[in-house]
Amino acid sequence: MKFRTVLLFGAPGAGKGTQGKILGTIPHFFHCACGDVFRSLKPDIGIGKVFLEYSSRGQLVPDEPTIQLWHEFIQNSTRSGRFHPEQDTLVLDGIPRNPHQAEIMRNTLDVVSIFYLRCTQIDKLTERLQRRALKENRLDDANIDVIKNRLETYERETKPVLDFYGKQLVHEIDSDQLPAKVLFDILSDIVNV
Ligand code: ADP
């Protein structure tokens, strides 16, 4: 059985996490942010250590351990009754993060919609990330060179995911708007998919 899925897509700092958290509070939606799953791991051993190495340089964690960790998270969430695959829509944020991950997940996800949170001003993204670094103690947001790398990694490796799924699934949302309006735009579409 494939999971009915909507993807939150966009650059680091575009607001995927903010929207995902809200959507996850609505009955029959289950939010999974891949970065949060990584950050919940112990940073000194195993994949948690690998995560820290890559994310602190602004790079993606290798695909196989990423997908495996994601699978385990979904299995645990199903077992513990937080996620009900038959009736819930999965709201994914931060995964798949390149076309290879999308390919690996082809038989697992039934992607019905992609919300592309589009931010045209790089300065605004950078500023949001630096503010978040202070608030959430995130190493990958603290340093301007790492932020630059993250934005470049997004352009080079993540953006092509849009082509993998094709234009007809993509809903462009202006992420420069206030969070409530971004949510309104997402909800207006989500009720129709
Ligand atoms: P943001 O919301 O700013 O885009 P995330 O919290 O989603 O950041 O991700 C933080 C870091 O975690 C990424 O820069 C990357 O190193 C790692 N990461 C998260 N998701 C993935 C993924 N699907 N594949 C590889 N690396 C990932």
Side-chain angles (χ1 to χ4, degrees):
M1 185 209 143
K2 288 190 187 183
F3 303 130
R4 180 186 158 84
T5 303
V6 300
L7 302 184
L8 295 175
F9 195 86
K16 306 179 296 286
T18 302
Q19 299 299 327
K21 274 191 203 109
I22 302 171
L23 292 172
T25 64
I26 304 174
H28 302 305
F29 287 94
F30 180 74
H31 174 227
C32 168
C34 193
D36 288 347
V37 179
F38 277 125
R39 278 184 291 275
S40 71
L41 302 173
K42 281 196 189 142
D44 49 348
I45 50 162
I47 181 73
K49 193 172 171 193
V50 176
F51 161 70
L52 209 63
E53 273 165 35
Y54 283 87
S55 64
S56 62
R57 293 196 298 250
Q59 295 170 353
L60 298 186
V61 179
D63 295 335
E64 271 68 24
T66 297
I67 301 290
Q68 197 190 330
L69 179 74
W70 176 80
H71 255 293
E72 284 164 16
F73 174 82
I74 291 294
Q75 275 170 356
N76 289 340
S77 303
T78 308
R79 252 185 252 124
S80 64
R82 279 177 294 144
F83 174 45
H84 304 275
E86 329 70 45
Q87 56 192 58
D88 291 348
T89 298
L90 189 55
V91 179
L92 285 187
D93 151 6
I95 191 166
R97 220 169 173 108
N98 61 30
H100 183 234
Q101 292 185 6
E103 186 58 54
I104 301 175
M105 298 172 101
R106 193 191 276 278
N107 296 324
T108 313
L109 305 181
D110 172 21
V111 177
V112 293
S113 208
I114 300 175
F115 294 101
Y116 174 19
L117 308 190
R118 192 139 184 242
C119 179
T120 46
Q121 297 147 273
I122 294 260
D123 295 353
K124 208 165 183 169
L125 286 177
T126 310
E127 189 193 305
R128 281 188 195 175
L129 291 174
Q130 285 179 313
R131 231 183 304 133
R132 181 168 76 178
L134 297 176
K135 230 171 61 187
E136 298 178 15
N137 195 22
R138 280 186 53 168
L139 278 180
D140 55 345
D141 287 339
N143 177 297
I144 189 72
D145 291 327
V146 179
I147 291 180
K148 266 198 197 126
N149 274 346
R150 255 146 65 69
L151 293 171
E152 277 167 25
T153 301
Y154 166 74
E155 287 292 332
R156 196 179 54 242
E157 299 182 41
T158 305
K159 265 259 190 83
V161 169
L162 288 176
D163 295 327
F164 177 93
Y165 288 109
K167 276 199 185 76
Q168 65 285 1
L169 291 185
V170 179
H171 301 266
E172 247 185 61
I173 312 270
D174 175 4
S175 80
D176 295 333
Q177 307 177 101
L178 289 171
K181 179 63 168 62
V182 173
L183 179 66
F184 177 83
D185 287 354
I186 294 176
L187 287 175
S188 313
D189 270 318
I190 227 169
V191 291
N192 297 318
V193 296

